[in-house]
Amino acid sequence: MADNLSGRVAVVDDDEDVLDSFRFMLELAGFSVATYLSAALFLANIPPDPFCLIVDHHMPVMTGLDLVARLRDSGSGVPVVLVTAAVSPAMVAHAARVGVRQVLQKPAREADVIAFVASCC
Amino acid sequence: MTDGTAALPPEPADTARSLLDTIVASSNDAIIGKRLDGTITSWNAAAEALFGFSAAEMVGRSILTIIPPDRVEEEDAIIARVRRGETLVHFETERVAKGGRLVPVSLTISPVRDARGAVIGVSKVARDLSRLRQVYVDLKERQELFLAVLRTVPDGLIVIDAAGIVQAANPAVERIFHYAADELVGRSLNVLMPDADRAAHDRYLTHYLETGERRIIGIGRVLRGQRRDGTVFPMELQVEEVSTPGHRLFTGFVRDLTDRHARERRLVELQAQLIHLSRLSELGQTVSALAHEVNQPLAAIANYASGMRRMLGPDAAPELLAAVDKVAAQAERASRIVQGVRSLARKGDRPRRPEALRPVIDETAELALVGPGRDVTLTVRIGDRASHADIDRVQVQQVLFNLLRNAVQALDGRPVRRIEVTTRRRDAMVEVEVADTGPGLAEEVRSRLFQPFLTTKAEGLGVGLSICRTIVEAHGGEIAAVDRPGGGCVFTFSLPACDGPTPGAGDRVAGTPGEEVAVDQ
């Protein structure tokens, strides 16, 4: 795989191990990675543009889609990929409404994730 | 006395005469003597009292004095018969008292003969019928009042004798069994039951008559009734003994339970379906939760393996590279197995069909609002192009049932007890909203609302809402909860919309009593 990738990626997931594995994979691929255990923690520390966002949907308090809706309301156009264990037509439709670029089934293939991140950076 | 015989001396004629006079004078019946030409020859005290004329006034006068003009011919006929030696017994007619008042009387008229047997006069015994008549009129009035009251009894009322023969039936019986009351009178009560039950009913009655032990008398029983056309229906029969001197009668109160039974049966069926589905859903939910939980470490494994593969680079030991690839491949395989089990669990789902939401909501509300939800005001609003959805009806009813039941519980002790169910179209989905006027959601509850095994209730597993989420997601929809502006809580879930067979029709049908129906938008 090419090692000349760069760019900032933010990952939001309520599972610490999943976050750690994303950091491991994405940093080795050449990206700089910031991880957040909840939507609230992300909103409190939004990284400076440009960056792209990988977000889990099923999170307590604020779901991934809620977070994206909040970002859009505040005027942010950050590219987002939504990762979820249960992909449904309604969720895909909802995701499209709030401007999610792609919905990936969890566990997501590395190639899909890298391709998305690379396309944004 | 002088001839020394032991025989009783013959009673002197005047003694016999005075005895007769005493009897006549003290009789309660008016006794009148008259000649064949109608001249009154005697008039006793009871006659004075009955007609108001004294003996002094009447003796020597014509009997026509007390005969109404329109009954003179009747008197002529009577006299003619008496002349022939006939006696008339209890002949009912009317006579005129002093002042013109008509008196109903019962007459017994006999000929009076002379020593040779020739009819020379008439004796007339008149009994006052006015009190009897009054009693009869009163009785008739009371009977009519009684019958009028019976006609208003909503339950069927049948009077039977000790042999089970119908003596009377009210109009409700006619309505219930489709027999006219007079068709039933004289027939056995058991024509109102299916053949199979007749013998048993006859036994109840004989058993009671023989032993006094109650099997059905005084106790309501649910039996099968049979209408005239042969249809059998559930009825409640309560038989009571009527104690009247000289009669042994029984009254049977009949209540047609057809509607109540149909309703109860529907509720039981619905409940059974929900329980069955709830088990299926709990299984589905467990699998779904498991899939989600297992997917997290699988995602981590896949990510670590990808990172390691990159880290090792092309120059690493081929065995190591192969092993890392195998770790990734095995993680992917495990993930596929989880997805497989998940879709297997969904195979228990029935096929989806386009359904009108209004009846789905109404039927579920009927079940969810029993008991503590009885006095909750429910409003259902069906939105424009939001009347039908492509759903598994029973599954969606379970979601609604859970949400409505939660809402009812949230309304416990609240001053305003209202639930509003609203549907609205949103792109390809119908959103169904269940809003209540309860206290709203506690923050710590809301964050974990749809997770299994979280509950705020003393009883309950806390799987209700997680099942709802499983079902809604299986329909390709989403479920969410928010606080309602002004208090309370709103659950919203989405279902795939479809256009009903006749769009718009059926949405504006009035609901069951106690519901308001409004149309949104």
Side-chain angles (χ1 to χ4, degrees):
Chain A
M1 281 178 202
D3 273 341
N4 55 352
L5 295 167
S6 68
R8 271 197 303 278
V9 186
V11 186
V12 185
D13 196 307
D14 62 321
D15 189 314
E16 216 161 331
D17 295 332
V18 171
L19 280 182
D20 187 68
S21 71
F22 267 115
R23 175 188 294 281
F24 182 75
M25 175 184 79
L26 291 168
E27 282 184 349
L28 283 167
F31 301 102
S32 66
V33 179
T35 59
Y36 305 87
L37 256 175
S38 73
L41 285 171
F42 171 78
L43 287 170
N45 297 283
I46 298 178
D49 283 336
F51 71 98
C52 66
L53 180 63
I54 297 172
V55 65
D56 183 42
H57 177 58
H58 277 300
M59 292 188 295
V61 189
M62 195 187 289
T63 66
L65 285 175
D66 291 341
L67 170 61
V68 180
R70 181 79 75 90
L71 286 172
R72 298 303 180 234
D73 285 348
S74 68
S76 165
V78 59
V80 179
V81 65
L82 187 78
V83 185
T84 173
V87 180
S88 72
M91 182 183 292
V92 172
H94 186 166
R97 270 204 305 278
V98 295
V100 167
R101 196 175 286 190
Q102 203 174 358
V103 178
L104 291 179
Q105 167 87 42
K106 196 173 192 172
R109 290 166 183 275
E110 184 211 23
D112 294 335
V113 176
I114 299 282
F116 163 76
V117 175
S119 75
C120 301
C121 301
Chain B
M1 272 177 252
T2 50
D3 59 5
T5 63
L8 218 57
E11 210 171 359
D14 58 340
T15 308
R17 182 64 192 239
S18 89
L19 178 64
L20 196 60
D21 285 349
T22 308
I23 292 170
V24 169
S26 61
S27 169
N28 281 325
D29 292 333
I31 301 175
I32 300 162
K34 65 182 186 199
R35 288 203 287 267
L36 288 173
D37 66 359
T39 308
I40 293 165
T41 55
S42 66
W43 186 267
N44 73 348
E48 291 184 333
L50 177 57
F51 298 109
F53 296 105
S54 69
E57 281 177 282
M58 293 304 286
V59 172
R61 278 175 75 177
S62 167
I63 193 71
L64 290 174
T65 313
I66 59 163
I67 295 176
D70 58 334
R71 291 200 186 261
V72 173
E73 281 179 29
E74 178 189 287
E75 176 68 9
D76 292 344
I78 291 169
I79 297 297
R81 290 175 67 181
V82 173
R83 270 182 201 277
R84 294 197 297 268
E86 287 180 42
T87 296
L88 276 78
V89 180
H90 298 313
F91 174 75
E92 291 190 13
T93 183
E94 281 174 329
R95 292 293 178 255
V96 187
K98 196 171 192 174
R101 182 173 55 90
L102 284 177
V103 182
V105 287
S106 163
L107 301 180
T108 297
I109 300 162
S110 327
V112 176
R113 298 166 194 273
D114 65 7
R116 295 190 309 279
V119 175
I120 54 161
V122 181
S123 99
K124 186 189 250 179
V125 180
R127 177 166 292 179
D128 183 3
L129 290 182
S130 38
R131 280 198 55 202
L132 213 57
R133 281 278 162 84
Q134 191 54 48
V135 167
Y136 177 78
V137 167
D138 288 352
L139 260 180
K140 190 95 184 158
E141 265 175 21
R142 287 186 60 183
Q143 188 187 21
E144 257 153 33
L145 176 70
F146 191 63
L147 288 174
V149 169
L150 285 189
R151 277 193 290 276
T152 68
V153 174
D155 291 341
L157 174 58
I158 304 175
V159 181
I160 57 170
D161 65 9
I165 303 301
V166 176
Q167 307 294 308
N170 74 345
V173 168
E174 301 183 324
R175 278 200 303 278
I176 294 171
F177 292 98
H178 306 161
Y179 281 101
D182 49 10
E183 285 180 284
L184 288 173
V185 171
R187 296 173 75 177
S188 171
L189 178 67
N190 67 23
V191 302
L192 303 178
M193 299 169 189
D195 287 342
D197 299 353
R198 289 179 182 178
H201 183 262
D202 291 346
R203 273 202 304 280
Y204 288 136
L205 205 57
T206 23
H207 182 83
Y208 175 68
L209 291 170
E210 282 166 7
T211 66
E213 189 192 327
R214 293 171 169 215
R215 290 269 173 86
I216 186 163
I217 314 293
I219 305 161
R221 254 174 199 275
V222 176
L223 302 168
R224 295 187 300 165
Q226 182 170 265
R227 294 186 230 274
R228 186 190 191 139
D229 63 4
T231 53
V232 173
F233 66 99
M235 66 171 179
E236 191 179 304
L237 176 65
Q238 177 151 359
V239 179
E240 298 288 346
E241 186 167 6
V242 182
S243 57
T244 52
H247 289 284
R248 201 151 197 197
L249 290 178
F250 299 89
T251 49
F253 288 91
V254 180
R255 182 168 290 179
D256 187 341
L257 298 179
T258 310
D259 288 351
R260 199 202 299 172
H261 268 219
R263 197 182 129 86
E264 279 166 7
R265 199 167 44 239
R266 205 153 57 86
L267 285 181
V268 167
E269 275 169 14
L270 199 56
Q271 217 154 12
Q273 278 178 323
L274 286 173
I275 288 166
H276 174 69
L277 192 92
S278 141
R279 295 211 182 101
L280 273 185
S281 291
E282 272 171 53
L283 175 69
Q285 167 61 26
T286 308
V287 170
S288 184
L290 193 70
H292 185 74
E293 293 311 310
V294 172
N295 262 331
Q296 295 289 78
L298 288 178
I301 291 169
N303 285 344
Y304 285 126
S306 303
M308 281 162 68
R309 180 73 172 77
R310 195 179 298 276
M311 203 177 163
L312 288 169
D315 306 328
E319 293 87 349
L320 191 55
L321 283 172
V324 170
D325 284 344
K326 281 173 186 167
V327 168
Q330 290 303 311
E332 212 169 289
R333 178 178 161 214
S335 170
R336 276 199 308 274
I337 291 169
V338 167
Q339 293 299 331
V341 172
R342 217 173 168 189
S343 56
L344 203 67
R346 279 199 198 137
K347 286 223 173 97
D349 299 353
R350 264 84 44 88
R352 289 183 206 145
R353 277 206 305 266
E355 299 271 3
L357 291 172
R358 175 89 211 190
V360 171
I361 294 166
D362 285 345
E363 213 173 88
T364 314
E366 195 181 351
L367 189 67
L369 265 54
V370 292
R374 214 175 286 266
D375 61 336
V376 167
T377 309
L378 175 77
T379 312
V380 180
R381 292 192 187 92
I382 302 293
D384 192 27
R385 296 196 310 127
S387 62
H388 287 72
D390 202 20
I391 55 170
D392 178 326
R393 182 190 177 100
V394 178
Q395 284 196 334
V396 169
Q397 280 184 317
Q398 199 188 13
V399 173
L400 276 166
F401 181 80
N402 264 304
L403 297 183
L404 289 169
R405 211 65 196 159
N406 283 348
V408 167
Q409 279 162 6
L411 292 175
D412 187 31
R414 303 290 294 179
V416 180
R417 291 161 59 74
R418 245 185 23 238
I419 299 177
E420 285 161 19
V421 180
T422 311
T423 74
R424 69 172 68 84
R425 183 67 173 252
R426 182 154 190 174
D427 302 329
M429 307 297 281
V430 173
E431 280 183 356
V432 182
E433 189 181 278
V434 178
D436 65 57
T437 54
L441 295 166
E443 191 55 46
E444 69 273 19
V445 175
R446 191 204 328 240
S447 62
R448 302 178 54 218
L449 207 52
F450 295 100
Q451 292 185 15
F453 314 117
L454 169 86
T455 182
T456 56
K457 294 164 200 159
E459 73 280 10
L461 271 178
V463 291
L465 285 176
S466 66
I467 287 169
C468 292
R469 192 181 72 183
T470 308
I471 291 170
V472 170
E473 286 179 356
H475 278 81
E478 295 172 284
I479 185 166
V482 293
D483 277 331
R484 172 190 168 120
C489 153
V490 184
F491 278 86
T492 309
F493 62 95
S494 51
L495 300 167
C498 68
D499 292 317
T502 46
D507 310 348
R508 291 162 174 83
V509 178
T512 48
E515 281 183 45
E516 303 163 39
V517 180
V519 178
D520 194 41
Q521 289 160 358

